[in-house]
Amino acid sequence: MRMIVLAPLLAAIPGAALAEPLSFDEALTRATNGAPLVEAREQQIRARQSAAIAAGQLPDPKLGIGLDNFPVSGPPAFSLTRENMTMERVGVEQEVPNLAKRHAQQNRAEADIAVARARSDADVRRIRVATALAWIDAYYAQRRLQAMDVILERLRRLPGAAVSAVAAGTGRPAQSLNIRQSIAELFEDRRSMLVAEAGKARAELARWTGDPDPQPSGPAPHFAVSREELRAALARHPELELASASVGQALADADAARAEKRPDWGFNVAFQRRDPQFGSMVSVGATMTLPLFPGRRQNPRIEAARADAVAARAEKEDIRRALEAQLDAALAEHAMHHEQWMRARDTLLPLAQREAQLETASYAAGRAGLLDVIEAEAGLARTELDMLDREAAVARHEALLALTYGDDQ
């Protein structure tokens, strides 16, 4: 009974209120299985597979009906019975393209399937990369907000200390105002920016996962980055597979152009009925195309198809070189970000923490002013946020490298 009462209330709650935590792996799975573009590519593959069934098949036979030797002048004009050569004809004709042409059609159909599959794989990889980056951005946006809230809680105690210092005669009245102004400008404004960045990151993640209000949860992903393994995996990159399939299309077109120099055949059978006193007839015949002028017909098409095949190979090589250059640049950038993160974690953050501790101790001993403590605390806060930014950059580049250039598994 209670569930019956609660059902309308649950239905009235917006989807955002019912949002569930979304792990990194779950986000990739949802994006891969539910993206509209993936469904579109699957349908295109099915379409190419269906079309391949008809590739290389003989054309449909043609049914012919006619009236032969019908007189239009002389004594038997416009009569079906007065001229013994007048016949009613019904026949069937079958065209038979040469075998090389039919094989080329089959090869082109197989190449079309390969292109559709490679395009699907390339799009799936792009979707996975975009989803991974969106999840990481949303995840670290949440962590920045949490860190900012801790920082603000710590810094908001300082105006009270300034007021106490003024009351004790060790500080100036304007110091408490300066502290509040600095907190508002440096950190509260930054928090507003972080809230906006978190909203944009969740919106991007919602685009790929279909979750109206995704909430990243769980640990951040970690990918082992190996230059040798990534370079070895480049040969299986979907963009290169797509370029190879395009080369296959061009080669099939070149084969089809060369097949045009071979003759096609045709066969026909007809039954002809005359006046009963003369009897009926059967006719059998064959036809053959005559490629007599290849210099102005077939050869130009062959040269054009050959040039397209050379161009497709050149484009594949250009894609390979571009991928290698992009990988090397991404690896160099990743190394830079990793070094910066390690420097912030192991050197800059401990130094900032130590400085804040020392300034606080000096202030307590009367050897430093309150402004010195405030500057040290603000510096520590900036270092903490900067370290998170550097950690997020490392996570983004790890995911970008592994999912863009590595193997799918």
Side-chain angles (χ1 to χ4, degrees), residues 121-268:
D121 292 341
D123 287 335
V124 167
R125 179 164 293 201
R126 281 192 289 269
I127 289 172
R128 286 170 58 84
V129 171
T131 304
L133 297 183
W135 190 96
I136 291 170
D137 289 342
Y139 174 82
Y140 278 97
Q142 287 181 349
R143 287 192 57 185
R144 290 187 188 98
L145 278 174
Q146 293 169 357
M148 179 61 77
D149 289 338
V150 173
I151 290 169
L152 285 174
E153 181 67 24
R154 188 171 71 233
L155 294 179
R156 281 169 181 154
R157 303 189 188 124
L158 298 179
V163 172
S164 300
V166 172
T170 59
R172 298 188 303 276
Q175 285 183 343
S176 62
L177 300 178
N178 292 337
I179 294 171
R180 291 191 182 95
Q181 182 181 6
S182 299
I183 292 174
E185 290 179 349
L186 297 178
F187 296 100
E188 291 179 350
D189 283 352
R190 175 75 184 274
R191 189 183 189 285
S192 298
M193 295 174 58
L194 291 177
V195 171
E197 291 174 2
K200 291 190 293 185
R202 285 197 300 271
E204 183 69 12
L205 185 57
R207 173 197 172 187
W208 298 113
T209 62
D211 190 330
D213 186 29
Q215 301 295 328
S217 67
H222 173 69
F223 298 92
V225 176
S226 169
R227 178 186 296 270
E228 293 73 19
E229 292 181 1
L230 292 176
R231 274 195 166 275
L234 273 186
R236 299 178 293 277
H237 195 279
E239 294 293 339
L240 273 180
E241 296 291 337
L242 179 57
S244 298
S246 298
V247 172
Q249 283 181 320
L251 293 176
D253 290 341
D255 290 340
R258 284 190 291 268
E260 293 290 342
K261 298 183 74 171
R262 300 185 180 185
D264 296 328
W265 295 86
F267 303 94
N268 57 76

Side-chain angles (χ1 to χ4, degrees), residues 253-337:
D253 290 341
D255 290 340
R258 284 190 291 268
E260 293 290 342
K261 298 183 74 171
R262 300 185 180 185
D264 296 328
W265 295 86
F267 303 94
N268 57 76
V269 177
F271 174 78
Q272 298 153 318
R273 186 173 66 87
R274 296 192 296 172
D275 187 272
Q277 63 177 320
F278 301 114
S280 301
M281 296 182 177
V282 174
S283 298
V284 179
T287 60
M288 181 182 69
T289 60
L290 300 175
L292 296 178
F293 305 101
R296 288 180 293 180
R297 295 175 181 169
Q298 289 81 17
N299 289 347
R301 296 193 185 101
I302 293 173
E303 289 301 321
R306 185 179 296 135
D308 285 338
V310 173
R313 288 195 181 98
E315 289 177 356
K316 177 183 176 181
E317 175 63 17
D318 179 73
I319 292 173
R320 185 190 66 80
R321 293 185 184 184
L323 287 173
E324 288 183 354
Q326 292 167 6
L327 174 58
D328 290 339
L331 285 169
E333 191 172 2
H334 171 68
M336 176 195 69
H337 284 293

